[in-house]
Amino acid sequence: MYSKDENVVRFENVGLRYGLGPEVLRDVSFELPAGSFHFLSGPSGAGKTSLLKLMYLAQRPSRGLITVFGRDIATTPRDELPFLRRMIGVVFQDFSLLDHLSAFDNVALPLRVARARESEVAKHVEELLAWVELKDHMDARPPTLSGGQQQRVAIARAVISQPRLILADEPTGNVDDRMALRLMHLYEELNKLGTTIIIATHNMALVERLGHPCLRLENGRLIVPSDSGAPLSPAEDG
């Protein structure tokens, strides 16, 4: 459990461009307090995936300050970034599952990297795969699963080690409404344990139903609602 006064993520005047192209994110400033739950919305191409990659430390900003778990990313040695990433659970749209491993072994991977006892690995993986209704597919490899099933495997892998921060990019995009709500309740249960959650989604009906604050990206700039607990990006002042 972590203090609500602690900021898990902090952006200050962050900009991002790829190569010599225009900035895809401009003057983005916000804070995510420990234990908070936010949705991230915006039209396609607004920069949602790029923002998540910056938080996951898969991309460095072109300018501005990013701190994750109190560490300034610009001054953190590259060989220390994997340690920080292990405290972050990620579900991206391509799932990034390992095709040569079973669903069980894909989900078990974070626990095995952390050198958990195999008895504990088996217990937690089986419980979580049952929760996402994949108990009968534990031995299946990703290419034999549907898109929705692969997505549920990716979500199970992201949450298995109860990371301090979970980032999810359209985690309910390939499942029906019933399963989408079930998965959202899983995120909420993790949030109650102190995990900070940010979920990028186009499903505004789900956002409205659950009632968590929603950050919005438009043309690379971030709009932060006044009740979110995060300061408004100065880019919106103009």
Side-chain angles (χ1 to χ4, degrees):
M1 190 75 68
Y2 299 96
S3 168
K4 290 273 187 177
D5 295 330
E6 175 189 1
N7 285 317
V8 170
V9 175
R10 180 170 177 260
F11 277 46
E12 185 176 340
N13 298 321
V14 169
L16 175 67
R17 71 173 74 241
Y18 295 106
L20 299 176
E23 283 194 322
V24 296
L25 295 172
R26 292 178 286 166
D27 299 314
V28 173
S29 297
F30 68 96
E31 296 172 353
L32 294 181
S36 61
F37 190 128
H38 287 80
F39 287 108
L40 175 64
S41 70
S44 296
K48 298 188 297 297
T49 300
S50 293
L51 184 62
L52 293 179
K53 285 183 176 179
L54 287 173
M55 284 191 272
Y56 177 54
L57 315 179
Q59 187 77 40
R60 290 200 183 239
S62 304
R63 59 185 176 86
L65 173 70
I66 296 177
T67 60
V68 178
F69 308 125
R71 301 284 298 273
D72 179 353
I73 298 309
T75 60
T76 298
R78 287 187 179 273
D79 60 0
E80 293 182 19
L81 294 179
F83 169 75
L84 295 179
R85 288 194 188 105
R86 284 198 288 273
M87 294 189 281
I88 305 172
V90 185
V91 183
F92 283 129
Q93 291 187 49
D94 63 0
F95 310 142
S96 298
L97 300 175
L98 299 177
D99 287 347
H100 66 285
L101 296 181
S102 66
F104 181 98
D105 289 332
N106 267 283
V107 176
L109 196 57
L111 295 182
R112 287 171 171 161
V113 168
R115 300 190 177 184
R117 288 182 297 181
E118 199 60 29
S119 60
E120 290 296 307
V121 171
K123 175 185 175 183
H124 291 304
V125 172
E126 289 173 9
E127 287 178 352
L128 194 49
L129 283 174
W131 205 94
V132 297
E133 300 183 6
L134 288 173
K135 184 178 181 180
D136 295 334
H137 299 278
M138 288 193 294
D139 295 328
R141 294 186 179 183
T144 70
L145 299 173
S146 69
Q149 289 170 330
Q150 289 183 45
Q151 192 155 33
R152 282 181 272 159
V153 173
I155 291 171
R157 183 183 60 185
V159 305
I160 188 72
S161 58
Q162 296 187 13
R164 289 181 60 184
L165 171 65
I166 290 178
L167 309 172
D169 194 359
E170 298 289 348
T172 61
N174 290 314
V175 298
D176 60 28
D177 289 343
R178 181 189 65 83
M179 180 54 67
L181 194 58
R182 186 174 176 85
L183 293 173
M184 284 299 103
H185 287 328
L186 172 60
Y187 285 122
E188 288 187 316
E189 288 303 310
L190 288 166
N191 180 243
K192 289 176 184 176
L193 295 173
T195 303
T196 305
I197 310 282
I198 185 160
I199 296 175
T201 183
H202 285 104
N203 191 338
M204 296 311 295
L206 195 63
V207 172
E208 292 172 5
R209 178 168 183 171
L210 295 177
H212 298 292
C214 185
L215 314 178
R216 181 170 178 81
L217 271 172
E218 292 183 2
N219 298 318
R221 293 185 174 182
L222 189 68
I223 300 171
V224 183
S226 59
D227 61 347
S228 72
L232 191 67
S233 168
E236 300 307 318
D237 291 345

